[in-house]
Amino acid sequence: MFNSKLLIFVIIIFFQFSCAFNKIDKVHGISNLKNKIEKIKINKSNKNDVINILGPSILIDQKEEKWTYFEVRETKNKFGRKIVYENNYVEIKYDKYGLVKEKTIFDIKNMKEIKFSEDKTETYALKESFIKSILSSTRKRLKNARDKYNTE
């Protein structure tokens, strides 16, 4: 009896440590973004050079002539919880001739410096309409009648 419990304990410990040694690494976006961005030179590299180094950008802002790239690396700890250990974001701005005029790198430490828009989008689908107000009041009346009937 004692030996079977010890054997089960040893097997569980073995599986726990064998799983912990295999690092699970998932990469979203461009792999090794920080190393690749160093190859891009301001006022020398153009859009074609950037495409050759980083590939086509998913996020392109036509108004500002800005391309963005990102890299997110995550792993799992011993208990299966996801941990993001690398989060890099790069904005590349171009001049009117297609040359790189500015490249800004944000990592996990200075990610709070990114400015987000404060504008709010108004949705027309959720606006109160006359029919919606009638249907919701009818639904409330039916629910109240059903609750009253069920309590008696």
Side-chain angles (χ1 to χ4, degrees), residues 82-96:
K82 290 182 183 179
I83 299 171
V84 175
Y85 65 92
E86 194 167 332
N87 190 0
N88 300 320
Y89 174 80
V90 175
E91 290 181 350
I92 302 173
K93 293 184 181 178
Y94 300 96
D95 62 2
K96 62 182 179 180

Side-chain angles (χ1 to χ4, degrees), residues 106-139:
F106 298 99
D107 60 0
I108 201 163
K109 295 172 187 165
N110 62 1
M111 193 67 72
K112 294 179 183 177
E113 295 175 10
I114 297 177
K115 305 261 192 264
F116 291 100
S117 175
E118 298 293 327
D119 296 339
K120 293 184 180 180
T121 305
E122 184 177 335
T123 58
Y124 297 107
L126 298 177
K127 264 190 168 177
E128 289 290 324
S129 65
F130 177 71
I131 293 178
K132 184 176 178 182
S133 63
I134 289 175
L135 290 176
S136 66
S137 67
T138 306
R139 183 175 51 229

Side-chain angles (χ1 to χ4, degrees), residues 4-152:
S4 63
K5 287 183 181 180
L6 181 65
L7 180 66
I8 292 172
F9 179 72
V10 169
I11 290 173
I12 290 172
I13 295 297
F14 175 74
F15 279 117
Q16 179 67 29
F17 283 116
S18 66
C19 292
F21 291 135
N22 298 333
K23 184 176 181 181
I24 300 170
D25 190 20
K26 290 186 180 179
V27 179
H28 303 282
I30 307 296
S31 183
N32 298 322
L33 185 63
K34 281 188 175 181
N35 295 336
K36 291 179 180 179
I37 199 69
E38 291 175 3
K39 296 177 183 177
I40 298 171
K41 305 296 179 196
I42 295 176
N43 292 328
K44 292 192 179 194
S45 300
N46 60 18
K47 290 182 180 181
N48 292 329
D49 297 333
V50 173
I51 289 173
N52 288 337
I53 295 170
L54 297 175
S57 176
I58 297 172
L59 304 170
I60 298 175
D61 187 0
Q62 298 290 341
K63 252 193 275 185
E64 294 184 28
E65 285 292 323
K66 177 174 67 172
W67 291 3
T68 57
Y69 295 91
F70 66 93
E71 174 189 23
V72 178
R73 288 185 178 269
E74 62 184 26
T75 186
K76 290 186 178 182
N77 65 3
K78 293 179 187 176
F79 305 110
R81 194 171 212 171
K82 290 182 183 179
I83 299 171
V84 175
Y85 65 92
E86 194 167 332
N87 190 0
N88 300 320
Y89 174 80
V90 175
E91 290 181 350
I92 302 173
K93 293 184 181 178
Y94 300 96
D95 62 2
K96 62 182 179 180
Y97 302 111
L99 291 174
V100 176
K101 70 175 180 180
E102 181 183 345
K103 61 180 181 179
T104 310
I105 303 169
F106 298 99
D107 60 0
I108 201 163
K109 295 172 187 165
N110 62 1
M111 193 67 72
K112 294 179 183 177
E113 295 175 10
I114 297 177
K115 305 261 192 264
F116 291 100
S117 175
E118 298 293 327
D119 296 339
K120 293 184 180 180
T121 305
E122 184 177 335
T123 58
Y124 297 107
L126 298 177
K127 264 190 168 177
E128 289 290 324
S129 65
F130 177 71
I131 293 178
K132 184 176 178 182
S133 63
I134 289 175
L135 290 176
S136 66
S137 67
T138 306
R139 183 175 51 229
K140 287 178 187 175
R141 287 180 186 168
L142 287 173
K143 184 181 180 300
N144 290 339
R146 187 175 41 221
D147 291 344
K148 183 179 177 183
Y149 179 74
N150 288 338
T151 59
E152 291 178 353

